[in-house]
Amino acid sequence: MMETNQSTVSEFILLGLPIQPEDQAVYSVLFLAMYMTTVLGNLLIILLIRLDSHLQTPMYFFLSHLAFTDISFSSVTAPKMLMNMLTHSQSISYAGCVSQIYFFLLFGCIDNFLLTSMAYDRYVAICHPLHYTTIMSQSLCVLLVMISWVFSSTNGLVHTLLFARLSHFKDNTVHHFFCDLSALLKLSISDTTINELVILTLAVVVITVPFICILISYGHIGATILRTPTIKGICKALSTCGSHLCVVFLYYGAIIGLYFFPSSNNTNAKDVIASVMYTVITPMLNPFIYSLRNRDMKGALKNTLSRRLCSH
């Protein structure tokens, strides 16, 4: 740990998860299993969507991109966390930390925009079914994904460049398992006013606005269902929206708990646990949610397996 009050840093020390040293091995195996489940489960979703012609729809186009983003998002933090737990080394280079900041913000923001696009897709499918194919054209779907990448890349780049201009830190110990931007700013003795202002401004664009759009979409969906409240209509809406709503609840629930109701003490384990929820657990649960609750995905899996068995 650096003792000087005004010093540049070549590396940061990640204190990691609030786990006792004797329990590190058990938890490292657990998190390795969760990470492998995340990667394999989301790869399976991508593979099924690519192989099954029945899944060549806008909803599954967005889902395949969401699966890729979840793999990438989890891979930004989980491998380094696992390596630190297994090797008992807590250091990360300055360059590695800056890279982690950028890619964490990039894929986290893409998740927000993709969930919003999927909510809009469900809104059009239920509220304007006769015009669905016209509105949700392939060009619009590609455009929405491209916009997600452009906005997210810009957001990540702005925050990363603003952090890189901070040259002095009072300490290099981060009370987290990854290079969390908020935790790092608290270590800086440089003026972080601009950083904090930009965080608040861009958070509205990349978190609040997408979340409001999702709420509006489901508000219209709810109003449409209530106008013709049949059991069949309600079941159809639940079958098409249930999986997406579960993912939205998990993802935004953790973000709201972490950033809108933060703990007063930066070392509080609640912040770290909430971060684990949306960086590790939610990406892992997405394949189960979309597979177990989705008839099309289960059908595609059965068809793919039966074709493979018949070919042998």
Side-chain angles (χ1 to χ4, degrees), residues 263-276:
S263 57
S264 57
N265 186 354
N266 189 49
T267 62
N268 197 302
K270 188 193 79 171
D271 292 349
V272 179
I273 293 171
S275 296
V276 170

Side-chain angles (χ1 to χ4, degrees), residues 138-158:
Q138 184 178 4
S139 59
L140 177 63
C141 295
V142 173
L143 179 63
L144 289 173
V145 172
M146 289 178 61
I147 290 173
S148 300
W149 276 90
V150 170
F151 271 98
S152 301
S153 300
T154 304
N155 176 68
L157 189 61
V158 168

Side-chain angles (χ1 to χ4, degrees), residues 76-109:
V76 172
T77 57
K80 181 60 179 175
M81 176 185 70
L82 287 168
M83 188 173 69
N84 288 357
M85 293 173 71
L86 292 170
T87 62
H88 303 288
S89 171
Q90 297 176 306
S91 64
I92 182 172
S93 67
Y94 179 83
C97 195
V98 171
S99 299
Q100 201 174 59
I101 291 171
Y102 173 74
F103 287 108
F104 179 83
L105 293 171
L106 169 67
F107 292 115
C109 291

Side-chain angles (χ1 to χ4, degrees), residues 242-263:
S243 301
H244 182 253
L245 275 173
C246 288
V247 174
V248 168
F249 176 78
L250 285 171
Y251 186 77
Y252 280 100
I255 290 178
I256 290 171
L258 179 62
Y259 293 108
F260 289 86
F261 302 99
S263 57

Side-chain angles (χ1 to χ4, degrees), residues 5-71:
N5 287 331
Q6 294 190 359
S7 60
T8 57
V9 297
S10 59
E11 66 177 20
F12 289 97
I13 305 299
L14 301 175
L15 292 187
L17 299 172
I19 298 171
Q20 296 299 322
E22 60 270 18
D23 297 328
Q24 290 275 355
V26 175
Y27 279 96
S28 63
V29 172
L30 174 63
F31 281 108
L32 177 60
M34 292 170 67
Y35 176 63
M36 293 304 297
T37 302
T38 299
V39 174
L40 296 176
N42 283 290
L43 280 176
L44 179 61
I45 285 179
I46 296 171
L47 185 64
L48 289 175
I49 292 173
R50 291 291 178 265
L51 292 177
D52 196 301
S53 59
H54 295 95
L55 301 182
Q56 305 299 315
T57 64
M59 182 65 178
Y60 294 107
F61 173 78
F62 292 128
L63 179 57
S64 65
H65 283 273
L66 182 68
F68 170 77
T69 304
D70 281 339
I71 294 172

Side-chain angles (χ1 to χ4, degrees), residues 117-172:
S117 299
M118 293 170 79
Y120 178 70
D121 173 80
R122 293 300 84 201
Y123 157 73
V124 176
I126 293 176
C127 299
H128 304 283
L130 298 179
H131 303 285
Y132 178 75
T133 54
T134 305
I135 297 174
M136 296 305 298
S137 62
Q138 184 178 4
S139 59
L140 177 63
C141 295
V142 173
L143 179 63
L144 289 173
V145 172
M146 289 178 61
I147 290 173
S148 300
W149 276 90
V150 170
F151 271 98
S152 301
S153 300
T154 304
N155 176 68
L157 189 61
V158 168
H159 286 304
T160 305
L161 292 176
L162 286 175
F163 173 76
R165 75 182 180 86
L166 304 176
S167 56
H168 296 91
F169 298 86
K170 61 186 177 183
D171 192 4
N172 71 334

